[in-house]
Amino acid sequence: MSFFLGALGYPLIELVWRGRTHPTMALAGGLSAVLLRRLSKADRPIWRQALLGGLMITGIEYAFGRIWNRRYRIWDYRRTPANLRGQICLPFSLAWCVLSAAVIRLFRWWDGR
C-alpha cells in the first residue's frame, strides 16, 4: 500500500510544483514511501527519522538522476545553490526532510502509534 501511495504522491507533488513529471518519478516515489514506512516503525525521535528520510529520498533522486536524467531533460538543479552535478540540491533535500516528517507521522497514525 505504501508503494502505491508514494507512486501517486511523488508525481502529484511534481505536477503541482513544476507542472510536469516523468514516469520514473512514480518509481522513485514508491521506493521512497516504502523506505519511509519502514523508518516510521523504528523507535527514534521524529526529527531523526525526518532527517534520515530526507537523506534517503535525496539519495534516490541522485541515483535516478545519474541513470535517467543524464541530459537534464527531467530536472536540472545546476543553477540552484549547493547542487551536486545538477541532480540534487540542498534546498530540495531540506524540503524532503520536512515532507518526510509529515509522511512518517501519517504512517505512524495509520499504524496506530
Side-chain angles (χ1 to χ4, degrees):
M1 181 63 145
S2 51
F3 181 86
F4 294 110
L5 177 67
L8 293 173
Y10 200 109
L12 183 63
I13 290 169
E14 280 205 317
L15 286 171
V16 169
W17 186 258
R18 298 186 320 147
R20 62 188 174 89
T21 190
H22 189 269
T24 57
M25 296 300 96
L27 181 58
L31 178 58
S32 297
V34 166
L35 294 174
L36 288 175
R37 182 74 184 263
R38 283 189 179 173
L39 190 58
S40 75
K41 295 177 186 222
D43 189 25
R44 293 186 177 115
I46 189 69
W47 68 266
R48 187 175 291 169
Q49 289 179 322
L51 180 62
L52 289 171
L55 291 172
M56 285 188 312
I57 295 171
T58 299
I60 290 168
E61 276 209 337
Y62 186 74
F64 275 51
R66 298 295 289 159
I67 295 168
W68 286 293
N69 194 34
R70 291 178 178 224
R71 290 181 173 57
Y72 301 99
R73 292 185 180 140
I74 303 172
W75 70 87
D76 185 355
Y77 296 140
R78 289 179 290 183
R79 293 188 179 133
T80 306
N83 77 80
L84 179 60
R85 295 183 174 167
Q87 302 299 333
I88 57 172
C89 64
L90 184 59
F92 281 100
S93 295
L94 295 174
W96 287 128
C97 290
V98 172
L99 187 61
S100 291
V103 171
I104 287 167
R105 286 189 187 275
L106 173 70
F107 284 145
R108 284 181 173 184
W109 171 79
W110 191 306
D111 292 334
R113 293 184 51 209

